[in-house]
Amino acid sequence: GENVEQHPSTLSVQEGDSAVIKCTYSDSASNYFPWYKQELGKRPQLIIDIRSNVGEKKDQRIAVTLNKTAKHFSLHITETQPEDSAVYFCAALMYSGGGADGLTFGKGTHLIIQP
Amino acid sequence: GAVVSQHPSRVICKSGTSVKIECRSLDFQATTMFWYRQFPKQSLMLMATSNEGSKATYEQGVEKDKFLINHASLTLSTLTVTSAHPEDSSFYICSARVLMRSNEKLFFGSGTQLSVL
């Protein structure tokens, strides 16, 4: 099955600086890579995702890059703000034409934005 | 995003009792829903895949007789934790696949914090 590794487990950055979280996956057949933000006791919120036919995707201050050859993808947050503080999870799965697939999550990164 | 409603948000029960958690898709039909469990400060672990009108598919190590899943309609999946014990205390969360602008995405319910005394 799929295995997703996520680093670092904790990341502390100064407000206004950039933050980068990296993930690797094991199953070369995986083709969908979402990122979720989870605040304490709340549901994970999808913040950005990327599919294997795209190398980079950007949405305002958030961007995700994907290197299929190396099987790794990264989340980039620029101009960080206090409200960006949360736990971020990467995930991977393979969509198989409507078949039932569950996400495999990384272990999470606790992002702390220092004022 | 799509709305996935999950109830109850918090349950405290005695050891040996059964607890039912509901997951509803409010503005779309979900043929497939997923149930995850999250222990404190850990990641989400997939427990099972719930398929409308058929048996659920369980991940390795998850007892199907203990975690009963029913997906009787296109908008409702339920997870019943039978004979709950303290080690079952966890955050349980469902998710549903949604087709949005020709792409499928997954959205999560609000989660249920289960505490077994």
Side-chain angles (χ1 to χ4, degrees):
Chain A
E2 177 64 275
N3 181 50
V4 177
E5 299 282 341
Q6 183 172 347
H7 299 279
S9 57
T10 303
L11 178 60
S12 181
V13 301
Q14 288 293 125
E15 182 178 350
D17 289 349
S18 296
V20 181
I21 302 171
K22 299 181 179 181
C23 287
T24 61
Y25 60 99
S26 62
D27 190 347
S28 57
S30 289
N31 55 17
Y32 176 63
F33 308 93
W35 285 88
Y36 289 88
K37 175 183 179 183
Q38 186 179 31
E39 297 176 9
L40 188 64
K42 296 187 178 180
R43 79 184 83 192
Q45 298 277 5
L46 178 67
I47 56 172
I48 196 166
D49 56 11
I50 192 167
R51 298 182 188 273
S52 59
N53 58 347
V54 176
E56 183 175 358
K57 184 177 178 181
K58 190 174 182 180
D59 182 5
Q60 299 183 340
R61 297 187 297 110
I62 296 173
V64 57
T65 58
L66 170 65
N67 184 326
K68 280 201 68 179
T69 303
K71 290 189 285 188
H72 67 69
F73 55 113
S74 300
L75 177 70
H76 304 253
I77 305 175
T78 59
E79 301 173 22
T80 54
Q81 300 169 3
E83 53 265 35
D84 294 330
S85 295
V87 178
Y88 291 81
F89 292 98
C90 64
L93 71 82
M94 185 194 74
Y95 275 118
S96 55
D101 304 285
L103 288 166
T104 299
F105 283 87
K107 293 190 183 300
T109 296
H110 185 192
L111 177 61
I112 302 166
I113 307 302
Q114 304 277 7
Chain B
V3 179
V4 179
S5 174
Q6 185 173 341
H7 294 282
S9 59
R10 185 176 294 273
V11 178
I12 301 173
C13 68
K14 293 182 179 180
S15 184
T17 59
S18 294
V19 175
K20 179 186 280 189
I21 303 170
E22 292 187 349
C23 181
R24 293 180 185 273
S25 56
L26 295 186
D27 51 3
F28 63 97
Q29 293 182 332
T31 55
T32 304
M33 291 186 179
F34 305 93
W35 287 95
Y36 291 85
R37 180 168 51 184
Q38 186 178 33
F39 292 108
K41 297 186 178 180
Q42 294 190 23
S43 189
L44 295 95
M45 299 299 296
L46 180 65
M47 298 175 65
T49 301
S50 172
N51 303 297
E52 188 269 334
S54 65
K55 292 183 179 180
T57 305
Y58 290 82
E59 295 300 300
Q60 193 173 11
V62 178
E63 299 175 60
K64 62 179 181 180
D65 294 330
K66 180 168 184 63
F67 299 99
L68 300 179
I69 291 173
N70 184 279
H71 196 152
S73 76
L74 287 170
T75 59
L76 174 64
S77 175
T78 61
L79 168 68
T80 301
V81 183
T82 62
S83 187
H85 291 284
E87 57 266 30
D88 298 323
S89 298
S90 185
F91 188 61
Y92 292 86
I93 192 163
C94 67
S95 72
R97 294 168 68 187
V98 182
L99 184 64
M100 295 182 70
R101 294 185 290 274
S102 300
N103 285 317
E104 286 192 338
K105 297 181 185 292
L106 287 104
F107 291 94
F108 285 87
S110 53
T112 298
Q113 184 65 52
L114 173 62
S115 300
V116 185
L117 305 177

